[in-house]
Amino acid sequence: DGTFYKKFQAGYPICQRFYTLESKVGFGEIPFFARPGETIDITVRKDAGDRYVCVYNNGSSSDAARWLRTRDEITDVLFPLMLFEGSFDEGNVLADNMWQNVMYRLQTVSRREHYTPMEMQLALAYVQTRFAYYYMTYAMNRRYALMKQQQDESAEWQNLADAKSYYHLRRIDFDNPLLFASSDFPHLLNRIQYAQPAMRALFSTAGQQRMDNYYAVLREMLGSKDNTLIAQLCLYQQMLTESRRWQTDKESKYAMFSNTFTHPYVKAKADEFYSRTMAQTELATPIPDAPMADLIRSLCAKYPGKILMIDFWGMGCGPCRGAIQASKELRAEIAKRDDVKLIFIAGERTADGSDAYKQYVAEWLSNEETVCVTNADFTRLQELFQFNGIPHYETITPDCRRVRDDLRIDGYDSFDYEVQRLLDKLK
């Protein structure tokens, strides 16, 4: 009868949207804003102009209805920034113009639509997240372009490595938890965590000094005197990445990270992670009964008796595509094995994937098991496996259990060794 019901997990307020390509009336997107624990009722119907619109009948979406209807009208002006291919100096000039344009658009639309104070706060946070994400994506793509051109010793390369060059980020309130609501936030966190100045600082020294250097660079990049929430989340994510290699002295290595966390949310998440890691003695654990878990179970059923290595990737991720392309010959050998199966999962605007996605899969992954999900469902997979950056790899045992982090197959560089190590443990 045209109705549907969707239930999902949310640990904080989120702004997402449902997509469909099966609409017979040309209306395929339902944006919404939701807080944990609430039920939202949305009706799609025609307005006075005979156009289909969303009517928000209750809850947080109703409180933010004007913003939900017009948010893309505000932020669409930013899209050219992410696709820009000019030099970093030129990119900073463009970013300045984009910021002025989006602020003008925000003021114009908010006045026209009579945004409430809450809608204005949501709109500003959404604009800041999207601007910062597009800006950092441009910087990342520019770095890869210089690497491809073998200009990694150029003045522009050094400019990309200088924290002071990212002065546009100082416009963003990185302590604002409303940034979390945007679906762009996990990607923004990833871009900042792996920004060239930050990574150079992290690996220039050892011990506590590397933490101090990392925070110092992020303070300069983000224009803050203190270690912002997002800066601490970046180091928290780095802790998760490194923890799988903690074979000894786990307590002292954890303390080195934990002592830097002053935000109560980050500290609580870190303590929770460490307690879970220390208590983990099993080789693998059951997949939680959470959204998107059924997808993983269906893949296990499709390839019985095989270890699954899942490669989470995306078209907008240069390192993802680089790893896929560099591993082509190795993957041809892996395909001959009867004990391991590679699975490639990407998030796209729709589950059918863009034309660029389809073309890339046909060229580089034509003989692989590929799964395309919506960006919203990809976010659910990130929550299921607790990761924010891609490429990310997970290993699933033949009985559909998740291999613990320190034993999972982590990409292709040491594939044979890591598979054999895991097989020895499974015996």
Side-chain angles (χ1 to χ4, degrees):
D1 61 356
T3 65
F4 73 94
Y5 173 79
K6 176 75 173 179
K7 184 177 181 179
F8 55 90
Q9 284 188 327
Y12 44 81
I14 62 170
C15 183
Q16 283 280 7
R17 65 184 83 196
F18 295 118
Y19 292 103
T20 178
L21 292 180
E22 299 175 0
S23 170
K24 298 178 181 179
V25 294
F27 186 91
E29 296 184 7
I30 302 177
F32 64 90
F33 177 61
R35 290 185 173 93
E38 71 176 342
T39 299
I40 294 175
D41 179 40
I42 305 172
T43 304
V44 177
R45 68 182 183 214
K46 288 185 177 181
D47 63 7
D50 204 37
R51 297 168 299 184
Y52 282 97
V53 296
C54 291
V55 178
Y56 302 98
N57 300 311
N58 67 333
S60 298
S61 288
S62 178
D63 295 336
R66 288 171 289 266
W67 171 62
L68 288 171
R69 285 197 302 267
T70 55
R71 62 175 186 162
D72 289 341
E73 181 182 348
I74 298 169
T75 58
D76 280 353
V77 70
L78 294 172
F79 196 65
L81 178 58
M82 184 168 64
L83 302 180
F84 186 62
E85 296 181 352
S87 71
F88 193 41
D89 284 341
E90 294 170 335
N92 273 326
V93 172
L94 177 64
D96 188 58
N97 292 333
M98 292 288 98
W99 179 261
Q100 302 303 326
N101 289 343
V102 78
M103 286 294 102
Y104 175 78
R105 187 78 65 90
L106 173 60
Q107 293 299 324
T108 301
V109 174
S110 64
R111 288 172 183 161
R112 185 192 73 207
E113 299 294 328
H114 303 290
Y115 279 5
T116 65
M118 186 188 86
E119 287 177 313
M120 195 65 188
Q121 289 183 43
L122 287 168
L124 183 58
Y126 192 77
V127 163
Q128 290 185 345
T129 306
R130 178 146 291 188
F131 172 82
Y133 167 52
Y134 283 0
Y135 175 64
M136 293 304 293
T137 297
Y138 156 71
M140 178 192 72
N141 290 337
R142 186 60 190 162
R143 181 177 56 170
Y144 291 136
L146 292 178
M147 290 173 63
K148 190 175 181 179
Q149 298 165 16
Q150 297 183 334
Q151 296 185 33
D152 50 356
E153 298 295 333
S154 65
E156 184 180 359
W157 179 269
Q158 297 303 319
N159 198 19
L160 280 162
D162 187 349
K164 294 190 293 294
S165 300
Y166 297 80
Y167 50 87
H168 290 295
L169 295 178
R170 298 169 190 172
R171 293 181 161 118
I172 313 302
D173 179 7
F174 284 109
D175 277 318
N176 183 4
L178 281 179
L179 300 182
F180 280 48
S182 171
S183 59
D184 291 328
F185 181 79
H187 309 296
L188 171 59
L189 181 62
N190 174 260
R191 298 292 188 266
I192 293 177
Q193 178 189 349
Y194 291 106
Q196 192 169 355
M199 296 311 292
R200 177 176 288 190
L202 191 64
F203 294 109
S204 61
T205 53
Q208 187 63 48
Q209 185 62 45
R210 64 196 290 260
M211 310 292 173
D212 297 339
N213 290 351
Y214 189 69
Y215 276 133
V217 166
L218 287 181
R219 287 195 299 272
E220 188 161 22
M221 279 186 66
L222 308 182
S224 173
K225 295 180 180 179
D226 303 311
N227 297 333
T228 59
L229 170 58
I230 200 168
Q232 294 183 52
L233 284 171
C234 285
L235 198 59
Y236 168 75
Q237 290 296 142
Q238 187 63 32
M239 182 191 73
L240 298 186
T241 299
E242 294 185 18
S243 64
R244 68 181 302 268
R245 298 190 293 271
W246 293 350
Q247 302 298 327
T248 59
D249 300 326
K250 292 184 178 181
E251 184 174 358
S252 62
K253 290 174 181 175
Y254 168 72
M256 188 169 59
F257 283 90
S258 178
N259 290 340
T260 73
F261 300 143
T262 58
H263 195 285
Y265 173 79
V266 182
K267 186 71 168 73
K269 295 292 287 184
D271 289 344
E272 176 188 336
F273 165 77
Y274 181 66
S275 297
R276 187 173 65 249
T277 300
M278 292 299 289
Q280 190 177 37
T281 57
E282 296 180 275
L283 168 66
T285 55
I287 295 174
D289 187 15
M292 302 305 292
D294 285 345
L295 170 62
I296 307 303
R297 296 188 184 101
S298 69
L299 291 169
C300 290
K302 187 174 182 179
Y303 298 102
K306 291 194 175 187
I307 295 171
L308 304 184
M309 191 195 91
I310 303 176
D311 183 333
F312 292 97
W313 69 289
M315 285 296 295
C317 171
C320 300
R321 298 196 308 273
I324 288 172
Q325 291 162 209
S327 64
K328 185 175 182 179
E329 293 183 4
L330 173 60
R331 288 188 284 110
E333 293 301 313
I334 294 172
K336 300 175 184 178
R337 302 181 65 129
D338 59 4
D339 54 356
V340 180
K341 180 63 181 177
L342 304 181
I343 310 288
F344 294 83
I345 300 180
E348 286 275 298
R349 185 171 177 271
T350 70
D352 284 346
S354 62
D355 290 341
Y357 167 83
K358 293 173 184 176
Q359 182 178 350
Y360 187 84
V361 167
E363 181 177 0
W364 292 102
L365 296 169
S366 58
N367 297 318
E368 305 287 3
E369 176 69 37
T370 58
V371 179
C372 186
V373 299
T374 65
N375 289 325
D377 281 342
F378 195 85
T379 300
R380 304 287 85 76
L381 287 166
Q382 289 180 295
E383 293 169 353
L384 176 65
F385 290 113
Q386 298 185 329
F387 69 94
N388 84 310
I390 52 177
H392 177 80
Y393 308 96
E394 289 288 340
T395 307
I396 310 297
T397 62
D399 59 348
C400 207
R401 293 164 65 87
R402 182 194 184 193
V403 173
R404 73 188 194 210
D405 288 345
D406 61 328
L407 290 174
R408 62 181 167 88
I409 305 167
D410 195 33
Y412 306 100
D413 292 340
S414 304
F415 186 89
D416 291 338
Y417 166 77
E418 291 179 355
V419 169
Q420 190 57 52
R421 180 184 59 169
L422 179 57
L423 289 172
D424 291 342
K425 294 283 186 180
L426 288 173
K427 290 179 181 178

